[in-house]
Amino acid sequence: SQKIEQNSEALNIQEGKTATLTCNYTNYSPAYLQWYRQDPGRGPVFLLLIRENEKEKRKERLKVTFDTTLKQSLFHITASQPADSATYLCALASGGYNKLIFGAGTRLAVHP
Amino acid sequence: DADVTQTPRNRITKTGKRIMLECSQTKGHDRMYWYRQDPGLGLRLIYYSFDVKDINKGEISDGYSVSRQAQAKFSLSLESAIPNQTALYFCATSDFSGDKNIQYFGAGTRLSVL
């Protein structure tokens, strides 16, 4: 069955450093992959989308890579700030783009 | 006002009770979704609807039913609530423009079944 894995352990980093989160998937060839941010008590908010034919996508301090050979996406936040502390979810297109399959998310804590 | 509104935000109910969670949107999107979120399991799709006449089961539809009353309204019902339906429930919409299927979520309903 299709499976998405994100590191379940929280990632703790120092302010100003680069945070790198990993999303791995199996038994799947998604046309695109999305990243969402979720704050406590709130719904996920879309951040970035990267297609299978794109190696890298950037938006301000955010960068996403997509390696279809390794079946992996990396999500980077450069010059991290305490306000970046949240849970980050990856999601893959499924069912001919009709649905998304979400990973369980990785919690990021940026310390001053 | 929020584009995707869920009511109630919190609900405590007893085993065997019927409850309804409601979702309304002002984004004008055709597609609406219901997910539940459990710690360590991520978001799992319960039902989705592409228009008023189109309802589809998701990954975990057993024990749930839905109604798409209008383009802007999509409700989720638990006919006879059980404790393992205790979870955080999210409604989402998407317009599927350019095949991106970017989803917009409500703030969630925290449901506890005692």
Side-chain angles (χ1 to χ4, degrees):
Chain A
S1 61
Q2 298 167 349
K3 192 173 180 182
I4 301 175
E5 291 185 343
Q6 295 185 256
N7 195 336
S8 60
E9 293 184 9
L11 178 63
N12 291 282
I13 65 167
Q14 209 67 28
E15 182 176 8
K17 300 292 185 182
T18 295
T20 299
L21 285 68
T22 304
C23 176
N24 295 298
Y25 59 93
T26 58
N27 297 328
Y28 195 53
S29 297
Y32 59 77
L33 183 148
Q34 301 180 8
W35 283 89
Y36 289 77
R37 169 182 172 143
Q38 186 175 19
D39 292 285
R42 300 198 170 193
V45 175
F46 171 77
L47 295 174
L48 281 168
L49 178 150
I50 186 165
R51 297 185 186 278
E52 60 179 340
N53 61 349
E54 298 175 318
K55 296 293 184 184
E56 182 179 296
K57 205 77 169 282
R58 291 175 184 262
K59 179 183 177 182
E60 298 173 351
R61 295 184 296 111
L62 308 181
K63 184 178 84 171
V64 172
T65 63
F66 194 9
D67 189 324
T68 55
T69 300
L70 292 179
K71 294 186 180 297
Q72 180 181 80
S73 175
L74 298 179
F75 178 81
H76 307 272
I77 304 176
T78 58
S80 59
Q81 305 165 1
D84 295 326
S85 298
T87 296
Y88 292 87
L89 311 174
C90 69
L92 303 178
S94 176
Y97 313 128
N98 290 330
K99 300 176 290 185
L100 294 178
I101 299 176
F102 284 86
T106 298
R107 188 165 61 86
L108 172 67
V110 182
H111 303 282
Chain B
D1 287 340
D3 293 321
V4 183
T5 302
Q6 292 184 235
T7 56
R9 290 297 313 279
N10 293 281
R11 178 75 183 268
I12 299 174
T13 191
K14 294 183 179 180
T15 296
K17 294 291 187 180
R18 181 182 188 276
I19 68 162
M20 180 183 291
L21 309 182
E22 299 187 347
C23 177
S24 62
Q25 53 116 346
T26 57
K27 299 190 76 67
H29 291 167
D30 288 326
R31 299 184 171 213
M32 298 188 74
Y33 307 79
W34 275 105
Y35 294 90
R36 67 176 277 176
Q37 187 174 42
D38 299 275
L41 292 179
L43 288 161
R44 292 183 291 167
L45 184 62
I46 306 172
Y47 271 95
Y48 60 104
S49 169
F50 290 163
D51 65 38
V52 174
K53 296 181 181 179
D54 180 79
I55 304 289
N56 303 279
K57 292 183 177 180
E59 179 187 358
I60 53 165
S61 59
D62 287 348
Y64 302 94
S65 62
V66 291
S67 174
R68 185 82 184 266
Q69 300 95 325
Q71 187 213 31
K73 295 183 182 296
F74 192 36
S75 60
L76 175 72
S77 294
L78 286 67
E79 297 301 325
S80 179
I82 56 177
N84 76 358
Q85 292 178 313
T86 293
L88 191 53
Y89 289 84
F90 287 102
C91 173
T93 73
S94 73
D95 66 0
F96 203 64
S97 59
D99 80 15
K100 294 179 181 178
N101 199 16
I102 293 169
Q103 301 201 358
Y104 300 85
F105 287 83
T109 295
R110 186 169 295 280
L111 175 66
S112 295
V113 183
L114 305 179

